[in-house]
Amino acid sequence: MTTHPTRRLIAAVGALALLAGAAAADDDMDYYMSVFEPLPALPPIPADNSLTAAKVELGKMLFFEPRLSASGVISCATCHNPALGWADRLPRGTGHEGQIGLRNTPTVLNSGFLPNQFWDGREPDLEGQALGPIQAPDEMAMDLEEALERIAEFDIYIEHFTRAFPEDETPISAENVAYALASFQRTLNTPNSPFDRFLRGDQGAMTEQQVRGMMAFADNGCVACHQGPALTDGLFHRFELPGPTDLGRFVVTGEEHDRYAFRTPTLRNVAVTYPYFHNGSIDTLHDAVNLMGEQMLGQEFDDDTLNDIVAFLHALTGEQPVVNIPALP
Amino acid sequence: MTTHPTRRLIAAVGALALLAGAAAADDDMDYYMSVFEPLPALPPIPADNSLTAAKVELGKMLFFEPRLSASGVISCATCHNPALGWADRLPRGTGHEGQIGLRNTPTVLNSGFLPNQFWDGREPDLEGQALGPIQAPDEMAMDLEEALERIAEFDIYIEHFTRAFPEDETPISAENVAYALASFQRTLNTPNSPFDRFLRGDQGAMTEQQVRGMMAFADNGCVACHQGPALTDGLFHRFELPGPTDLGRFVVTGEEHDRYAFRTPTLRNVAVTYPYFHNGSIDTLHDAVNLMGEQMLGQEFDDDTLNDIVAFLHALTGEQPVVNIPALP
């Protein structure tokens, strides 16, 4: 381990020190508190897509709308399944006619906090992301014009689009589908995880083991890439995984250093969004943390450290949004 | 039209008579009230599967559980979609790897009130129905043993099955999956439709046109087959439809008179469970009523009668169950 000596000391006696409330430990805890950021209630809202109740409500309908797929049975919620951490808990996404895609389905939860979208970061924001899976041949396989035609058949959708985009001459448009979906997704956040409550001053919110894990996460350098409120730097990294791979970020940039590189995923709700990595080849948090230690940090975590970090990752599961299924026309 | 003279008179002046509160009209209304039955709060509960909160909660989890399908992305809720009247609004069900099945997906709503299950009535109850779609090669295409193995991997399911079936030595069994799913489905009822409220004495619950439609529905004989709280006799009838057909009830009985015969569907929530008939070949209520008039009653409804009956059918849409999506392990 390449831990800073002070940090290592803290990791060893952290819980005890916490209980004792020693001044030195307080100082160190101040340091950890400064390393991390709790999740704000809402992600940044883009200037050209203000967050309104009308857009969120419409976006929710569209999110559950299987008519946006060629088959008529696949909606965004099929793979971003609210019952399964807003992902699918499969190694790689399964879409139109049972085709299995290249990559693991990322959770929608807190996706508004991500600096960019998709495993290869090819879209800067949720507006850019929203129309991708609808049209992808191995996902919803839908022609966008046909999707708009299907929606425009229903008076209820005409009303909802007009209410959400009152100044548009043609409210039902691909752009507005994206705006509405992005707006709904910006409301799917998981505040008040034990980690957030701890950062906001509730010292009992995490277990002692989770606090040790948080320290180890910082001390061992995990936080270098998993930083910020969503615990991702939004940057691209390359490492070896079992199972299939693809060119990753290289497809977007053509840069050699981006070959096989994938964006750091958020760790928020990581305990409920298994399996892991871009090809979903790793089933458990233990194996995932172990692999990251070896490949990204060049070190083998001892069992205690590994268990502590995994315990900490469980503290990143927040309150899941409660969503009533909308009645569609 | 082959309407009874008294009934025909009522159909013509019904609304007026209602308002005037004439004694004769009251008598006639008593007749109509005696023809129909409001929906009880719960369907009959079988003696060997008592309805308990623990079973309902487990059944809800299983209903939303895509791991019960071979692909891992199809759950009961995929085709019996709560957003779409607990059906799929497609002509025929779309299942494993995009295969399109033989028949239209029936709604789960009020299915506990049906005298038998499936378009061909091959199962007597929801317990018998529940495991069919899981194993059907063109639906969820799942091996039942494998489904049980997948579920048994999760402590949360072990807990839920044990709580729901405390006296069983092996709580996780195919039989108990069926019991739990059936229990959940028995809670998916739609009380308090305008029709039910009217039958319970709220004379303003249906519009005048809907009241006329109810009378026409009785007077013209629709109620002969669409009777009882679910508005189905549970019997099998044969008529000609456009689009593909199949042997229907004949497959179950081998009786010649059952060839191409299908069970009378419930009319509850019929306005939100289009398209219609066993092959989903009819898109609108107008066309469906028209076709029934011609084929089952041997008469062509005039436009007013047709519109009145369709208006009445809209009064059969009840309060939809509000279901929060469960968090699955």
Side-chain angles (χ1 to χ4, degrees):
Chain A
M1 305 230 293
T2 57
T3 317
H4 184 282
T6 314
R7 307 278 86 81
R8 193 163 50 196
L9 179 68
I10 289 302
V13 301
L16 208 71
L18 258 179
L19 290 174
D26 278 352
D27 286 351
D28 282 310
M29 196 47 72
D30 285 346
Y31 161 77
Y32 289 109
M33 301 295 254
S34 75
V35 166
F36 295 106
E37 290 175 54
L39 196 74
L42 280 178
I45 309 298
D48 66 344
N49 190 17
S50 60
L51 194 71
T52 67
K55 282 187 213 167
V56 171
E57 194 181 344
L58 171 61
K60 179 178 166 181
M61 293 172 75
L62 296 171
F63 191 86
F64 283 91
E65 182 51 89
R67 297 180 190 97
L68 292 183
S69 66
S71 66
V73 288
I74 302 177
S75 70
C76 305
T78 301
C79 295
H80 299 290
N81 189 334
L84 302 171
W86 299 75
D88 55 14
R89 296 197 184 142
L90 293 169
R92 294 175 288 142
T94 295
H96 188 64
E97 296 183 340
Q99 293 173 84
I100 294 176
L102 268 180
R103 295 175 187 164
N104 179 259
T105 303
T107 180
V108 169
L109 294 172
N110 310 307
S111 54
F113 289 97
L114 301 179
N116 47 50
Q117 299 294 328
F118 294 113
W119 278 103
D120 55 19
R122 67 183 179 274
E123 290 291 344
D125 51 30
L126 289 172
E127 284 78 4
Q129 181 275 335
L131 303 179
I134 295 174
Q135 300 173 87
D138 57 353
E139 299 187 41
M140 295 165 81
M142 189 62 177
D143 178 77
L144 213 47
E145 282 307 309
E146 198 185 332
L148 297 177
E149 281 167 25
R150 283 189 189 175
I151 286 171
E153 280 178 27
F154 298 102
D155 291 343
I156 289 178
Y157 271 124
I158 296 172
E159 284 166 30
H160 275 275
F161 272 91
T162 306
R163 204 178 308 149
F165 304 99
E167 288 165 22
D168 285 19
E169 270 185 49
T170 314
I172 298 188
S173 66
E175 190 181 31
N176 286 346
V177 167
Y179 278 14
L181 281 169
S183 294
F184 174 58
Q185 291 180 73
R186 288 200 177 93
T187 67
L188 301 174
N189 307 309
T190 58
N192 294 322
S193 69
F195 175 59
D196 291 307
R197 287 187 276 122
F198 184 87
L199 290 182
R200 292 198 179 97
D202 177 0
Q203 293 200 0
M206 293 205 293
T207 66
E208 291 176 20
Q209 186 182 30
Q210 288 173 334
V211 174
R212 286 200 307 273
M214 179 188 78
M215 293 169 169
F217 186 91
D219 296 343
N220 287 287
C222 312
V223 77
C225 296
H226 291 291
Q227 57 172 260
L231 294 159
T232 167
D233 57 4
L235 299 178
F236 303 87
H237 305 280
R238 182 174 167 170
F239 53 89
E240 279 176 37
L241 266 181
T245 193
D246 60 71
L247 294 171
R249 178 73 174 166
F250 178 81
V251 175
V252 183
T253 64
E255 303 275 353
E256 203 49 46
H257 66 264
D258 282 331
R259 190 182 292 269
Y260 311 124
F262 294 88
R263 192 199 54 195
T264 311
T266 180
L267 294 183
R268 294 249 165 217
N269 305 292
V270 69
V272 296
T273 54
Y274 61 86
Y276 301 112
F277 302 115
H278 69 268
N279 63 7
S281 58
I282 303 293
D283 284 334
T284 69
L285 278 178
H286 273 87
D287 289 347
V289 173
N290 211 26
L291 188 142
M292 285 287 95
E294 283 176 5
Q295 296 228 11
M296 302 304 290
L297 304 169
Q299 67 184 64
E300 201 168 317
F301 291 126
D302 59 59
D303 280 355
D304 285 349
T305 306
L306 189 60
N307 289 333
D308 290 352
I309 292 176
V310 168
F312 166 60
L313 294 177
H314 277 271
L316 300 178
T317 305
E319 288 171 14
Q320 306 290 301
V322 174
V323 171
N324 290 331
I325 303 168
L328 299 178
Chain B
M1 305 226 298
T2 57
T3 318
H4 184 282
T6 314
R7 306 280 86 81
R8 194 165 47 198
L9 179 69
I10 289 302
V13 300
L16 207 69
L18 257 180
L19 290 172
D26 277 356
D27 286 351
D28 282 312
M29 195 46 71
D30 286 347
Y31 161 77
Y32 289 109
M33 301 295 256
S34 75
V35 167
F36 296 106
E37 291 176 54
L39 196 76
L42 280 178
I45 308 299
D48 66 344
N49 190 16
S50 59
L51 195 70
T52 66
K55 282 187 212 166
V56 171
E57 192 180 344
L58 170 60
K60 179 177 166 183
M61 292 173 74
L62 295 172
F63 191 87
F64 284 91
E65 181 51 270
R67 296 181 190 97
L68 292 183
S69 66
S71 66
V73 288
I74 302 177
S75 70
C76 307
T78 301
C79 295
H80 299 291
N81 188 335
L84 302 171
W86 298 76
D88 55 14
R89 295 196 185 141
L90 293 169
R92 294 176 286 141
T94 295
H96 188 65
E97 295 183 342
Q99 292 172 86
I100 294 175
L102 270 180
R103 296 176 185 163
N104 179 260
T105 304
T107 180
V108 168
L109 295 171
N110 310 306
S111 54
F113 290 96
L114 301 178
N116 47 49
Q117 300 294 328
F118 294 113
W119 279 103
D120 55 18
R122 65 184 179 273
E123 290 291 344
D125 52 28
L126 289 172
E127 284 78 3
Q129 181 276 335
L131 304 180
I134 295 173
Q135 300 172 88
D138 56 354
E139 300 186 41
M140 296 164 81
M142 189 62 179
D143 177 78
L144 215 48
E145 281 308 308
E146 197 184 332
L148 297 177
E149 280 167 24
R150 284 190 189 174
I151 285 170
E153 281 177 26
F154 297 103
D155 291 343
I156 289 177
Y157 272 123
I158 296 172
E159 285 167 28
H160 275 274
F161 273 90
T162 305
R163 206 178 307 149
F165 305 99
E167 287 165 22
D168 285 20
E169 268 185 51
T170 315
I172 298 187
S173 66
E175 189 180 34
N176 287 346
V177 168
Y179 279 14
L181 281 169
S183 294
F184 173 59
Q185 292 180 73
R186 289 201 176 93
T187 67
L188 300 175
N189 307 309
T190 59
N192 294 321
S193 70
F195 175 60
D196 291 305
R197 287 187 276 123
F198 184 87
L199 290 181
R200 293 200 177 96
D202 176 1
Q203 293 200 0
M206 292 206 293
T207 66
E208 291 175 19
Q209 185 181 31
Q210 289 173 335
V211 174
R212 285 199 308 274
M214 178 188 77
M215 292 169 169
F217 186 90
D219 295 343
N220 287 286
C222 310
V223 77
C225 297
H226 293 289
Q227 58 172 260
L231 294 159
T232 167
D233 57 4
L235 299 178
F236 302 87
H237 305 280
R238 180 174 167 170
F239 53 90
E240 279 177 36
L241 266 181
T245 192
D246 60 72
L247 294 172
R249 178 73 174 167
F250 178 80
V251 175
V252 182
T253 64
E255 303 276 353
E256 202 50 46
H257 66 264
D258 281 332
R259 192 181 289 269
Y260 311 124
F262 294 89
R263 191 199 54 194
T264 312
T266 180
L267 294 183
R268 296 249 164 217
N269 306 293
V270 69
V272 297
T273 53
Y274 61 88
Y276 302 112
F277 301 114
H278 69 267
N279 63 8
S281 58
I282 303 294
D283 284 334
T284 70
L285 278 179
H286 273 87
D287 290 348
V289 174
N290 211 26
L291 189 141
M292 285 288 93
E294 284 176 6
Q295 296 229 10
M296 302 305 290
L297 304 170
Q299 67 183 65
E300 200 168 317
F301 292 127
D302 59 57
D303 280 356
D304 285 349
T305 306
L306 189 60
N307 289 333
D308 290 353
I309 293 176
V310 169
F312 167 61
L313 294 177
H314 276 272
L316 301 177
T317 305
E319 287 170 14
Q320 306 290 301
V322 173
V323 172
N324 290 332
I325 304 167
L328 299 177

